[in-house]
Amino acid sequence: MFKLYSVKFKQHEDAPVIKGHKVQEMILDEAKDFSSATAYRLQTAISHVSGIVESVYRINAANEAAAEFHETLSALNSDSVERKLKAERRFRAYVLEFDMFLDYWESYIAHHKCIDGTYDEKLVSDYKNLFKDLTHSAYDDHLEYQLMDMIRNQTAHVQSPVNRIHVGIDGNEIYSMRDILLSKCKSGENKKKILKAQPDEIALSPIVDVTRQCLEEIHAELIDFMLDDLAMTEFAVIKDFLDYILSKNLLFAPWILMDDATAIPNPYHISDMGAYMYVMERMEKKLSARHWGQAPGIKNKRILKSL
């Protein structure tokens, strides 16, 4: 019989220390008003959607790198060489995360399986085409994406793309010199034409902002592709679970699903609430787009937006 438990941890003064941390007692509180039948359905739903949830966080590294770059750049208030080098390093870190985000999805898609674990060659082919269309559209529609494509090639060859950092009352900015980029550019003539059309100094902050937004949009579409019909059938039960924990004001508490009937319980840990909320939001939009009727919304949109 499947049951749902919220998890709390209690620390004892006399608890043993393992690897520098005191062992904590785990306390399970059964959600008695969450039926066993619903808990069983939830276990199936979580099993199916868990792979999607794992991919939700793939955008975080690029977002965090962009935020760290802006934070470091805006904090500059002097010509300190050390601080300027830190801002330069933060930009290179974003370029690396930009590159790794695209590399991750390209590799993931090549080995993608259906949500039930089966392999479908046509599905993988369609997924690859979607990735290609999304990245090509981002490139074609945004000059900043085109420039980032060239900058990351230069960075990959261990050549810093940062040539000047301005600190002033009119704001701080980090620049790449057009002619230096051109001298290092190993791309074809079409890309060189793009560079030649730029000013002498190319501001890099706008490139971070626009390309980060492009990655967000690419990410959302790639997640949406994973929401096949099987995932859609789990919409109602996961929505009920999220509404339940919101009603208990326990959104950020870890939860466990466990089959008490087995000799050795095999718990299903549910801790990535933010990712589940994001997946449900994408499911709602996809259901609406398919004209299946207006999908019921998750309660408390304010909490959803804060995740």
Side-chain angles (χ1 to χ4, degrees), residues 156-171:
H157 291 88
V158 201
Q159 297 165 334
S160 175
V162 179
N163 305 121
R164 187 172 80 86
I165 298 178
H166 170 75
V167 179
I169 59 174
D170 55 340

Side-chain angles (χ1 to χ4, degrees), residues 219-258:
H219 181 70
E221 292 290 339
L222 294 175
I223 291 291
D224 283 357
F225 186 90
M226 300 170 72
L227 301 176
D228 63 14
D229 291 345
L230 181 56
M232 292 300 182
T233 64
E234 315 298 357
F235 178 91
V237 66
I238 298 178
K239 175 191 174 299
D240 288 346
F241 167 64
L242 292 174
D243 283 344
Y244 174 82
I245 63 174
L246 285 170
S247 71
K248 300 293 184 182
N249 292 318
L250 291 171
L251 176 62
F252 298 105
W255 294 80
I256 285 181
L257 278 167
M258 196 155 52

Side-chain angles (χ1 to χ4, degrees), residues 179-196:
D179 291 342
I180 295 178
L181 279 176
L182 271 171
S183 68
K184 306 292 184 181
C185 183
K186 300 184 184 300
S187 302
E189 285 303 315
N190 288 336
K191 290 187 177 182
K192 288 182 179 178
K193 285 181 182 178
I194 296 171
L195 271 179
K196 290 176 182 177

Side-chain angles (χ1 to χ4, degrees), residues 135-147:
T135 52
H136 283 196
S137 292
Y139 184 94
D140 293 340
D141 296 343
H142 301 283
L143 171 64
E144 293 83 359
Y145 198 101
Q146 297 167 19
L147 293 172

